[in-house]
Amino acid sequence: MPSSDTQKSFFTNLWERRFFQFFATYIAASWGAIQFLEWGVTRYSIPSVWVDKLVVFLLFMLPLVVSVIYIHGRAGDDKWLKFERVFYPINVVVALMMSMFLVNSSAESVTEEVTVTDLEGQTIVREIPKQEYNKKIVIFPVESDSDIQPWESVGVSELLNNKLEQDMRIIVSSALSLVDSYEQYGFDKLEPIPFATKLHLAEDFYSDFFVSSKFQNNGMTSIEITIYETLTGNEVAQQIVVGDDIYQLAEKASSFINGEIKLSEVEGKELYIDLPSSNLISTDTGALRFYIEGAVLLQKEPSKSSEAFEIFSQSVKEDPTCAECWIRLAMVKLMQGKDQDQERANALKYAENLPERQQLSIKFFNYLAQNDTDKAIRLCEMWRKLYPQDSKPVNNLISLYKSTLRTNEAKSVAKDAIEKGHKGSIFLTYANLLIQTKDWDEAEKYLKIYKEEYPKQFEATSLLVDTYSGKGQIDKALAALDELILMKPNVKSYQLKKSQLFSKQNKFEEAMGLLQESLALTESTSDSIANYSEQLKVYNRALKFEEYA
């Protein structure tokens, strides 16, 4: 009974002091302030970190609020106590310090400092975002109702690629990098494709988001843009952007995409210089059109280098300061076995006006064309330190080391990329290198990690077949291969691989039967030749087996 009276007395005391009314008012006022600041973030691009600061400040102010309400909440006159004159100012200072310190500490952890030495011996110190805070985006060509795909379809995608990638936190796969993938799904290069195929391609490129868009009029001045999350396939946001030309469209589209993909903010740190879209390839629309048309032609039909040469020659006539146009022209002349010194020199001369990543790509090609492998490697080493989230320098380095038979260095680059947070195909690249050096157990380990991370992708299963085969575990290899054939029955190479496994088990009849069944389904001369070649290998192995039996 006394405890009940005590409890009643306690709550009565709080009620008389109007504790609940004033505390509820504080909560409501705090919620209103947070919502107002959230609106300011959306409407006026105020850094969202200020919302976090406000929340922390309001939480640390609770001791002061509770104390004031309890001591001064009762109606009537009262006096300020001595401890209040000391405690309240200290509480305010602590709340301010904690809101600044805790939130800033969180922001600081988003980045790390790197120091590199460039090819001229200059030391560069830079703050870069950590790998886990980066975003990868696939941008498909802009669709239209026209029977003939306008050059702007790819042009907008390429401008968005260069525009968004000025931010160190963003990696883009644009239209030109998707050409081969379209063919794998049975579509003509860069034609409009169904949503399901876009989702599959976005998954193949291990992206966080993908962007689908369509021109809303024949004048190509209005685009409906939709952003999707790759993991779920759900729509994130949609907007119609309008511009007088392709550059304005790219500017507004990139602003919309940037605002929707929720990049982690780093207060007080400049991660990029935002150049306008007109500065990223060419300020001249005619030169930009020739550049895009030439690039698309080369991607679709690499054998048409003569036509590409004429198109890129037109692009540099329209804009002699277009570094990207000059380097494309140099690439075509290299394909033709012609001298490209002047074109490369012009590209390097005007590249200084481009974003850093574009400059690095141009310089890399220049060293390759000069057969200066050492400088190309040093450039890529610097490149991957400055942009650790970018897969291009990693892939370039691996290719260079493999071409110079330095497989261990290639393995080291791949493993370092994985440890730095790279995802997706780098696991397959590393596993392939491990298979080449017969590190079977290590290859199996990374392939299983890949399969667990990307259950919809089948490339790891194919490499696991090679790994099990190399370890002499043929039954495991066959089981993995059967899983692969079940998911992709039309891939002819899987049947050849299965016959090789049967042959290793000295099951020659099963191997020949499988090859003959597969031969009946071949659609090209090259497939038939590969099949006959494998049949000869099985015959030879069978004869040797009988000879030593």
Side-chain angles (χ1 to χ4, degrees), residues 73-93:
R74 197 192 301 271
D77 295 334
D78 54 24
K79 294 181 180 180
W80 290 91
L81 303 177
K82 288 184 179 180
F83 91 92
E84 292 180 275
R85 297 173 185 176
V86 177
F87 173 70
Y88 294 162
I90 292 175
N91 194 153
V92 173
V93 171

Side-chain angles (χ1 to χ4, degrees), residues 85 153-154:
R85 297 173 185 176
S153 293
V154 176

Side-chain angles (χ1 to χ4, degrees), residues 176 292-309 311:
L176 290 177
I292 295 297
E293 289 178 345
V296 170
L297 177 64
L298 271 184
Q299 287 292 98
K300 288 185 174 181
E301 301 177 83
S303 61
K304 292 189 174 181
S305 61
S306 297
E307 291 92 328
F309 174 81
I311 295 173

Side-chain angles (χ1 to χ4, degrees), residues 229-242:
E229 184 182 35
T230 304
L231 181 63
T232 62
N234 293 336
E235 179 182 314
V236 174
Q238 186 181 83
Q239 188 176 88
I240 292 177
V241 299
V242 180

Side-chain angles (χ1 to χ4, degrees), residues 6 11 20 54 57 70 78 86 93 129 133 145 151 180 196-197 245 284 294 431 467 519 530 536:
T6 303
F11 282 108
F20 301 109
L54 178 60
F57 176 76
Y70 187 81
D78 54 24
V86 177
V93 171
Y133 298 105
D145 292 325
W151 70 271
D180 293 336
T197 307
D245 55 33
D284 185 276
T467 303
L519 182 62
L536 285 173

